[in-house]
Amino acid sequence: MDRRRFLLAGSAVASLGALGLPRPDHATAASLPAGGPRPRPTPQQLRWQREELAMFVHLTVNTFTGKEWGDGTESPAIFDPRKLDARQWARTARQAGFRSMILTAKHHDGFCLWPTATTKHSVASSPWKDGHGDVVREFTDACHAEGLGAGLYLSPWDRNAKAYGSGEAYNDYYIAQLTELLTRYGPIVEVWFDGANGEGPNGRRQAYDWPRIHATVRRLQPDAVMFSDAGPDVRWIGDEKGVAGETCWSSIDPASVPYPGYDRPWVGGLLGHGDPHGSAWRPGESDVSIRPGWFWHPEQDGEVKSPDALMELYFSSVGRNSKLLLNVPPNRDGLFDPEDIASLQGFAAKRTALFATDLLQGATVRASSGEAAPAVLDANPDTHWSAAADAHDGWLEIALPRAVEFDTLELGEAIALGQNIANYRVERWDGGAWQPLAWGTTIGHKKLARFDPVRTSRLRVLLEFAYGTPRLARVAAYRGPDRRYGPGHDEK
Ligand code: FUL
């Protein structure tokens, strides 16, 4: 069936009309996809998205050479992170509110951070712990001890492996490495596949066997999600800046990015926005580094992103239905730098300060139709308000016993049942009329909107158009410490 065929949506605008509101043009012109269930997340994808924050850890020979991409000729003798303390990384991550971590077990240079049987190009040939160390072991143990999920990055592009570019021999080598990583270290929550496909030591490129790679992960770690620009479980957001599209669907047409590393000029934008008609649930992950580089370089001390910059990233990723994967690179001692830790602590403190008090608590909620409207006020993402099953729009009105002042609004869709809402409007009561407050497109797991502080006792959320039943799990309002209250935003 062609999912992009459209039908006329007569009933889609009825409930907004009942409120005396203008009917949105695109809804009256009415386009709804024909039939077919809309995609929903698996329990693993849902868990992954609800974590909101994950930490990337880039460490390899590059940490000692100053490069971003090693060429595979580095001697293991240079790898000696003498004070390496993975527990320090995991503690820092947990205290800053991160829920999982992903380590570069092997980057493009081919150096393995665990004592693998597949090559001598590993920690076993390094002076670190006299060749008896295992960074992957220390990392996974630390994650598990701190209650964090452990994830691994295993670069398919390998500039050291002799077999790279030879076909099956390298695919066997890669699968053997993957098998070691997925069988020795307990539960792995995410496997991160970089699509880079450059030349190996013999100048040849490798045709990666993605079906076999994916089947290996499914067999050995069925609860792990697999990341790449082509999924299959979670997708790259299309940039390395931590910025999701303002419109961001968790669904995508799998045929539009058929394999990892599918490099086309339009792919970045497509991954940023997703596709409301896509048949695959494949939410976007926004990866970005706290420093200019992915690896630690001494000359980049002083360029660590500030707590305010990290807050901006939180709004542009988590606040747009994506997940933030923030890289924090260990230094040559194998430790996070104090500067990076201070910034992460500041980031956590700013989130705590902003989101400490939901000012809509104690409100009453009326809705266009359906039941359980008050469910939007509790923080439980599994309870929600739903419009009538065949509705394509709806509204909620939230009335407080007293006026409250706020500058940040949170909306959340009941994504366990899919993502349907295509645009919304939020208005505040000024004592005599409804005034526009926020307007946007997708909502998804979390949508955050910021504006100059306003004071009001009534709000309404207008879901102007949804491809399937509109369902909201969350409406919350917060007053941050950073914005000044201006004149003219008061309820009269
Ligand atoms: C990229 C790699 O080439 C970078 O070195 C880094 O690992 C980043 C997360 O992915 O594609």
Side-chain angles (χ1 to χ4, degrees):
M1 182 184 14
D2 179 3
R3 296 182 55 81
R4 290 168 198 252
R5 261 187 319 123
F6 295 116
L7 295 172
L8 201 68
S11 67
V13 291
S15 64
L16 287 182
L19 257 190
L21 288 165
R23 297 169 179 203
D25 288 346
H26 69 277
T28 39
S31 10
L32 295 176
R38 296 181 59 73
R40 294 180 176 194
T42 62
Q44 291 82 2
Q45 289 169 316
L46 198 57
R47 171 195 54 72
W48 174 91
Q49 181 138 25
R50 286 179 175 172
E51 283 185 2
E52 298 189 352
L53 295 175
M55 193 174 281
F56 226 169
V57 180
H58 272 65
L59 173 71
T60 184
V61 287
N62 297 345
T63 310
F64 299 87
T65 60
K67 291 185 186 168
E68 275 290 307
W69 282 4
D71 62 15
T73 62
E74 297 80 11
S75 166
I78 63 174
F79 187 82
D80 196 10
R82 284 187 200 176
K83 298 182 188 156
L84 187 139
D85 180 3
R87 198 69 190 263
Q88 183 230 28
W89 313 342
R91 196 168 46 245
T92 301
R94 179 181 53 74
Q95 288 172 350
F98 289 71
R99 310 277 294 280
S100 58
M101 301 182 94
I102 301 174
L103 171 71
T104 53
K106 179 184 83 167
H107 203 251
H108 309 327
D109 51 75
F111 182 75
C112 297
L113 295 188
W114 78 104
T116 171
T118 60
T119 176
K120 290 199 164 54
H121 198 58
S122 83
V123 282
S125 306
S126 79
W128 179 61
K129 298 198 169 179
D130 293 327
H132 298 296
D134 182 343
V135 184
V136 176
R137 171 80 57 209
E138 298 199 16
F139 167 77
T140 49
D141 284 353
C143 288
H144 296 144
E146 294 289 341
L148 302 176
L152 295 171
Y153 170 122
L154 182 69
S155 172
W157 184 26
D158 189 321
R159 304 178 84 182
N160 177 270
K162 291 198 179 44
Y164 187 90
S166 66
E168 266 326 273
Y170 179 76
N171 286 328
D172 290 346
Y173 176 89
Y174 187 80
I175 293 286
Q177 294 190 333
L178 197 55
T179 301
E180 289 179 351
L181 291 174
L182 300 183
T183 55
R184 291 183 183 174
Y185 300 100
I188 298 299
V189 295
E190 182 164 346
V191 185
W192 217 90
F193 292 119
D194 189 274
N197 184 207
E199 293 174 355
N202 53 18
R204 288 201 299 248
R205 284 175 205 272
Q206 171 72 25
Y208 306 135
D209 188 348
W210 287 113
R212 191 172 160 208
I213 293 169
H214 293 167
T216 302
V217 177
R218 282 283 186 267
R219 182 165 52 81
L220 299 176
Q221 294 277 350
D223 284 334
V225 297
M226 287 182 258
F227 165 98
S228 84
D229 37 1
D233 301 319
V234 299
R235 72 175 197 264
W236 182 41
I237 208 65
D239 63 56
E240 292 181 336
K241 300 186 184 130
V243 180
E246 284 199 49
T247 298
C248 186
W249 293 96
S250 289
S251 47
I252 201 149
D253 175 358
S256 59
V257 188
Y259 55 83
Y262 184 72
D263 199 7
R264 299 291 184 279
W266 41 268
V267 161
L270 175 77
L271 291 172
H273 292 99
D275 179 350
H277 308 295
S279 61
W281 186 271
R282 192 175 289 169
E285 184 169 83
S286 302
D287 59 324
V288 60
S289 186
I290 197 168
R291 286 164 172 253
W294 291 104
F295 291 93
W296 184 88
H297 306 295
E299 69 276 15
Q300 292 178 356
D301 287 350
E303 292 185 74
V304 174
K305 290 186 174 63
S306 66
D308 280 330
L310 297 179
M311 282 303 275
E312 288 304 314
L313 292 176
Y314 183 80
F315 276 89
S316 66
S317 56
V318 176
R320 292 183 183 171
N321 186 39
S322 180
K323 179 172 177 175
L324 179 60
L325 176 61
L326 180 68
N327 180 65
V328 184
N331 60 24
R332 288 179 186 161
D333 283 335
L335 296 170
F336 286 171
D337 262 355
E339 197 183 342
D340 304 55
I341 295 174
S343 194
L344 289 163
Q345 288 170 342
F347 175 40
K350 282 192 175 280
R351 293 195 328 274
T352 303
L354 175 56
F355 299 116
T357 307
D358 170 15
L359 297 161
L360 301 186
Q361 291 305 305
T364 53
V365 188
R366 273 192 329 125
S368 51
S369 62
E371 290 171 1
V376 301
L377 299 182
D378 71 48
N380 180 352
D382 289 319
T383 62
H384 65 268
W385 162 78
S386 174
D390 62 350
H392 291 278
D393 69 354
W395 54 264
L396 286 164
E397 194 177 311
I398 298 170
L400 284 152
R402 68 207 173 288
V404 292
E405 188 183 301
F406 58 95
D407 58 15
T408 305
L409 194 73
E410 175 186 337
L411 300 175
E413 211 168 333
I415 59 160
L417 300 172
Q419 185 186 2
N420 293 332
I421 297 165
N423 78 278
Y424 64 88
R425 199 144 46 100
V426 182
E427 298 176 340
R428 69 179 173 93
W429 183 249
D430 75 356
W434 290 101
Q435 300 295 344
L437 183 57
W439 184 90
T441 52
T442 49
I443 295 177
H445 168 66
K446 185 172 278 187
K447 174 52 89 56
L448 295 172
R450 287 178 292 182
F451 31 80
D452 287 341
V454 293
R455 191 175 292 140
T456 187
S457 63
R458 280 165 74 192
L459 268 183
R460 67 182 184 186
V461 181
L462 309 166
L463 305 171
E464 294 184 313
F465 180 69
Y467 287 100
T469 314
R471 302 181 189 98
L472 280 185
R474 185 78 169 139
V475 182
Y478 308 98
R479 175 66 166 107
D482 296 339
R483 282 164 193 261
R484 279 221 229 103
Y485 187 72
H489 299 308
D490 251 329
E491 183 173 324
K492 291 169 197 97

